[in-house]
Structure formats: C-alpha cells, structure tokens
Amino acid sequence: MPGETIDFARTIPILPSPDIRASRDFYRDQLGFEAIQPEMDEYLIVRRGEMEIHFWYTADTALPQVSSCYIRGGEVSALHAEFSKRGVERLSPFTVRPWNMKEFYVHDPHGNLLRFGCAPEEA
C-alpha cells in the first residue's frame, strides 16, 4: 500500500564466543563494528552499517573453531583494503575462488570464520 514501510526479512548469524568482552574488543577495534547496548556478559550484538552479528557465550572453546558466517556485498573490496591497512591478523588474500566468488576470510580470536564475498564483476 502507498506510504507503507516494507519490513524486509534479514538473516543474522549468531556465533559462539568463550569470551564476550574479547569478541567485542576485536570486532570493535579491528573490524570497525559498534557494540549495541545493552552490553551483557553472555550475549553480544555488533553492527557495522547493515552488517549485524550476534554472539552467545559458551565455555566450549571448540565451538568457534567450527563456526562461520558469510557476508555478501557491502563494499567487499573496500573492507579488505581497510582490514589490510588496520593490520587485521588472519586476513586472507582477496581472490576469486573456484566457485566464482571473489572472497576474503577473517578468523576472529576464538576461531569463528567470517567469509566476505561478492561476484567478481561486483568487486
């Protein structure tokens, strides 16, 4: 209807973290995300533009080693350049993968894998 706001659905990853404060610090200080209030001991929400990631506390340090999310679009080329300039550790090269997506990867301090990608012609 005219004048109505469309409420588009979004998918938001929820990743495990054995140290919520360390996750907050890494995503804020290294990747440029903002921690969303209220800050809690067992749950964290970070946001950067339209990207949003949630974290839940777990004492199982193996879970982040097998967890990941894929972030498509959002100025991927500029993000890789920014992360490179910031000296983000465990940052992969930005390259076309065999499945024809231009991607780079970042592992957070606990092992969660963030994959950033776009179609090669979008880069």
Side-chain angles (χ1 to χ4, degrees):
M1 296 187 143
E4 259 187 60
T5 302
I6 298 173
D7 183 16
F8 291 104
R10 295 185 347 179
T11 301
I12 299 172
I14 304 174
L15 300 174
S17 172
D19 186 333
I20 293 293
R21 286 189 177 95
S23 292
R24 179 203 62 208
D25 293 349
F26 174 78
Y27 283 84
R28 182 190 62 207
D29 301 342
Q30 292 293 304
L31 302 185
F33 282 75
E34 171 188 1
I36 303 303
Q37 300 294 329
E39 290 195 32
M40 298 166 270
D41 292 334
E42 297 198 4
Y43 204 82
L44 169 69
I45 300 170
V46 296
R47 186 178 301 141
R48 179 181 169 142
E50 293 298 313
M51 294 181 284
E52 185 172 309
I53 305 172
H54 294 203
F55 297 87
W56 59 279
Y57 172 76
T58 179
D60 186 345
T61 58
L63 287 177
Q65 301 295 321
V66 295
S67 297
S68 66
C69 71
Y70 196 94
I71 300 166
R72 182 173 178 158
E75 304 292 325
V76 178
S77 298
L79 278 176
H80 188 267
E82 177 188 329
F83 294 169
S84 294
K85 186 176 180 179
R86 288 180 185 233
V88 173
E89 292 184 26
R90 301 179 73 187
L91 175 67
S92 77
F94 186 35
T95 188
V96 177
R97 307 296 174 178
W99 44 91
N100 199 35
M101 291 293 287
K102 190 161 186 183
E103 300 176 342
F104 71 90
Y105 308 153
V106 174
H107 286 87
D108 76 12
H110 309 299
N112 287 301
L113 172 65
L114 281 78
R115 300 171 77 167
F116 295 83
C118 61
E121 62 272 11
E122 297 171 345

